[in-house]
Amino acid sequence: MRQRTQLLIIDPQNDFCDLPPDCRPASAAATTAYAPSLPVAGAHADMQRLAQWIARQSLQLDAITVTLDSHQSYDIAHPAFWQQGDGSAVQPFTPITAAQMRAGSFSPRNPDARERTLAYVDALEAQGRYTLMVWPLHCEIGSIGHGVHADVLNACREWQSQRQRAVRHVFKGMNPLTEHYSAICAEVPDAQDPETQLNTALLQHLAEADTLVIAGEAGSHCVRATTEHIVQHIAPLWGAEDFSRIVLLTDCISPVAGFEAAQETFLQQMRAIGVRCCTSTAFNL
């Protein structure tokens, strides 16, 4: 059955949401109170608006896909992977370049990973899209932070009950040796790991949509990378470069602090090729 109206929610996870204390999930087994590890300013309100939009559009919405950033502590973009030249820890929000690795300023804690890591950073920089960033440990598989924002989760649950169909989930980021901002493919695909390569099944599913609505976090990174890859690869499946079929809900997307310009540039580029950029209150299916 053709799914004419689809919603793609990118990484609506607790660790990315600036949750107020009274909205943070609790665990009986937790020894300390949960706090989001990589909160995006405005993301909690984004997800509340998105949940309200899902509720209003439920009968017109044929499919929902949720992507989930999914990492382990040992990950090329986490502090546990890295050390400074003197053996000291690398702090979150530290960018690392190939030149710095060659100079000995940074290296993997596991010396056996150095050659492969340097080749990865070289390949990443050659693309010109991102510099490797050491983020705080986030979206650790099985953690509270990996879970979906409660309002979005409840809205999806109600939609499933009403429409009698399941939400599709896409996990990304489980390979510890490549960054995976985009749900379509990793930044530098691993030839030995099909899950880092082009996700043709997801693309074919999204291509069934006459209208593809996109929201999530963060607009400067995972929303941007996923949308750019969709634009790059979906036109042959549609048979035309009609990007007006894509809608970005701009009030359900926010940037990582310090990367506001990256999100704005991304939105400008999408508008220029015909992608519709609308608020959730202004756009109806």
Side-chain angles (χ1 to χ4, degrees):
M1 181 180 66
R2 185 174 179 83
Q3 295 170 322
R4 296 187 177 280
T5 59
Q6 292 193 34
L7 171 63
L8 175 61
I9 312 176
I10 298 169
D11 302 357
Q13 292 161 274
N14 291 319
D15 266 349
F16 294 136
C17 295
D18 53 342
L19 301 170
D22 60 346
C23 291
R24 294 177 185 175
S27 170
T31 56
T32 58
Y34 166 73
S37 64
L38 189 47
V40 174
H44 174 56
D46 291 343
M47 294 304 98
Q48 290 180 314
R49 285 188 287 267
L50 178 59
Q52 293 164 5
W53 185 86
I54 294 170
R56 293 195 304 270
Q57 305 298 321
S58 182
L59 292 177
Q60 288 74 42
L61 192 55
D62 296 319
I64 297 176
T65 299
V66 175
T67 74
L68 295 168
D69 213 29
S70 304
H71 301 302
Q72 302 176 79
S73 178
Y74 178 77
D75 185 283
I76 200 167
H78 283 162
F81 188 93
W82 292 96
Q83 63 183 0
Q84 296 190 61
D86 60 3
S88 60
V90 173
Q91 296 303 310
F93 302 105
T94 299
I96 295 178
T97 66
Q100 289 173 316
M101 287 190 66
R102 288 190 169 90
S105 301
F106 299 101
S107 64
R109 290 188 177 276
N110 177 1
D112 293 338
R114 184 183 185 279
E115 183 177 346
R116 179 170 178 175
T117 302
L118 182 56
Y120 169 81
V121 177
D122 278 335
L124 180 69
E125 292 178 2
Q127 294 177 359
R129 284 166 55 83
Y130 297 101
T131 298
L132 188 143
M133 176 68 74
V134 179
W135 300 105
L137 170 61
H138 65 281
C139 296
E140 186 177 17
I141 298 167
S143 69
I144 293 174
H146 186 256
V148 173
H149 183 282
D151 289 358
V152 173
L153 184 65
N154 287 331
C156 287
R157 186 180 295 142
E158 289 297 319
W159 175 85
Q160 291 179 86
S161 177
Q162 188 172 35
R163 298 302 306 273
Q164 284 298 289
R165 58 191 66 176
V167 167
R168 183 187 186 103
H169 290 88
V170 176
F171 289 72
K172 64 182 180 67
M174 290 181 284
N175 185 312
L177 297 177
T178 182
E179 294 158 284
H180 210 144
Y181 294 123
S182 168
I184 304 301
C185 66
E187 290 307 308
V188 179
D190 180 349
Q192 306 302 315
D193 183 357
E195 292 195 359
T196 68
Q197 298 166 30
L198 194 67
N199 191 333
T200 55
L202 175 59
L203 279 168
Q204 289 167 355
H205 174 71
L206 298 176
E208 295 177 1
D210 293 325
T211 301
L212 175 60
V213 183
I214 300 175
E217 304 302 342
S220 53
H221 288 78
C222 296
V223 174
R224 169 190 166 191
T226 301
T227 306
E228 288 176 342
H229 279 153
I230 290 171
V231 165
Q232 180 181 350
H233 294 287
I234 207 169
L237 300 175
W238 275 341
E241 290 192 353
D242 180 12
F243 297 125
S244 67
R245 295 164 70 168
I246 300 174
V247 179
L248 284 164
L249 295 182
T250 55
D251 62 340
C252 300
I253 299 168
S254 291
V256 175
F259 292 89
E260 294 82 1
Q263 175 172 302
E264 184 54 37
T265 298
F266 157 63
L267 292 175
Q268 290 175 359
Q269 291 171 339
M270 291 301 103
R271 291 186 183 101
I273 62 171
V275 172
R276 288 181 283 170
C277 297
C278 309
T279 65
S280 61
T281 53
F283 179 73
N284 296 301
L285 293 170

